[in-house]
Amino acid sequence: MASCPHCGHKLRLYNWRPECPTCGVNLNYYDANQRLLDETEQAEKEHALFQPKIDRAKAAYAGSKWAILRVALTLLPIGALFLPLLQINDGVRRLNVIGVYNAINAVGFGAIFGGALQKPLYLAAALLLVSAAMIIVSLILLLLSLGKHGKIRVIVTYGVMLLCAAGALAAAILGGRQPVGVFGEAPATVRPGVGAYLYVALFLVLFLYNLFLLKKGIPVKYTPCLIGGLASEDYFRYVEEGMEKSVLQRKMLVALAELREAQERELAEEGGGTA
């Protein structure tokens, strides 16, 4: 049950008027300036907490030439998929990612993943699909690469990509040592193509490059944020020190007044210069 903020009178459902029945204060406008200040402070505080995440996400993609190069290297393995991944009967037939996908689709994705532990070529196909999907996942997770646990996340993500690609190559080599059916076709001898080796090599380069980048670091340019006219760093320090809310808000009002004066001086100088 609500109560009057001025006198503490318990308000009932039939107290529909905006005035308190006991003290007569207008409940809509009582302490409006303080409530407006509190709401503004909360909004600016939330922005100050969220803005560094945006700054880190931007830096992870374009914070330096090294970050941009990482994005390019992450996309490079996609090109290797369009080179021959499998050679059937000593190169009589070659399959790139489109041919492999059509073969997988003919058998069924459920059958491929279900039979991965029994048939090496099924395992190779399953790991290839996972590694290709991880390329998209890694580009999304780059947004978090400069945050908390970002280094571990990068190592795990790119490490899984490399292991899946290498596992697919090893399974393809193992499956080609004996005549086997290629995704339901007549028995044939299968071995990896040049695209498969290049695919793994690019993931290895990408993994090593990320280790280099983690050691080198990516600079983050943080956007200055104000909370009630105070720099966000000062505001959070005051709060951590246990400063009383009334004292903190007085500091905010002083800071806002100083900002307004500085803006007025700049406008006056610009007006004087143009005159």
Side-chain angles (χ1 to χ4, degrees), residues 25-227:
V25 71
N26 190 304
L27 301 175
N28 292 330
Y29 297 105
Y30 179 78
D31 209 15
N33 290 335
Q34 181 61 44
R35 285 188 280 116
L36 179 61
L37 183 60
D38 291 340
E39 292 173 1
T40 303
E41 178 183 348
Q42 182 64 26
E44 291 179 340
K45 184 169 66 173
E46 292 176 357
H47 174 262
L49 291 173
F50 188 71
Q51 184 61 44
K53 299 178 181 179
I54 298 177
D55 295 334
R56 287 192 292 268
K58 289 181 179 178
Y61 272 91
S64 67
K65 60 182 180 181
W66 305 107
I68 297 173
L69 181 58
R70 174 168 61 182
V71 176
L73 288 175
T74 303
L75 294 172
L76 269 183
I78 296 177
L81 292 174
F82 291 91
L83 297 174
L85 298 176
L86 290 177
Q87 296 189 43
I88 305 173
N89 292 334
D90 296 328
V92 173
R93 183 184 174 194
R94 293 182 174 88
L95 298 179
N96 61 9
V97 67
I98 298 175
V100 172
Y101 175 82
N102 292 334
I104 293 173
N105 194 41
V107 176
F109 289 89
I112 291 296
F113 283 94
L117 297 180
Q118 287 79 32
K119 299 181 180 181
L121 284 180
Y122 282 17
L123 177 60
L127 291 175
L128 178 67
L129 291 175
V130 173
S131 66
M134 286 296 295
I135 295 176
I136 306 301
V137 173
S138 67
L139 290 174
I140 297 174
L141 291 180
L142 278 182
L143 296 171
L144 308 174
S145 62
L146 296 181
K148 188 177 181 181
H149 307 306
K151 292 184 177 181
I152 297 176
R153 190 178 293 111
V154 167
I155 293 174
V156 171
T157 301
Y158 286 92
V160 169
M161 292 164 64
L162 175 59
L163 290 176
C164 288
L169 176 61
I173 294 174
L174 181 62
R177 290 177 180 173
Q178 54 184 327
V180 294
V182 183
F183 304 131
E185 297 180 356
T189 302
V190 180
R191 60 188 179 89
V194 63
Y197 292 100
L198 181 59
Y199 187 66
V200 176
L202 288 173
F203 274 127
L204 177 59
V205 171
L206 182 58
F207 181 74
L208 295 176
Y209 181 77
N210 272 280
L211 295 181
F212 159 76
L213 204 56
L214 290 176
K215 184 177 180 180
K216 181 179 179 61
I218 297 176
V220 181
K221 185 178 180 181
Y222 288 103
T223 303
C225 295
L226 297 178
I227 302 177

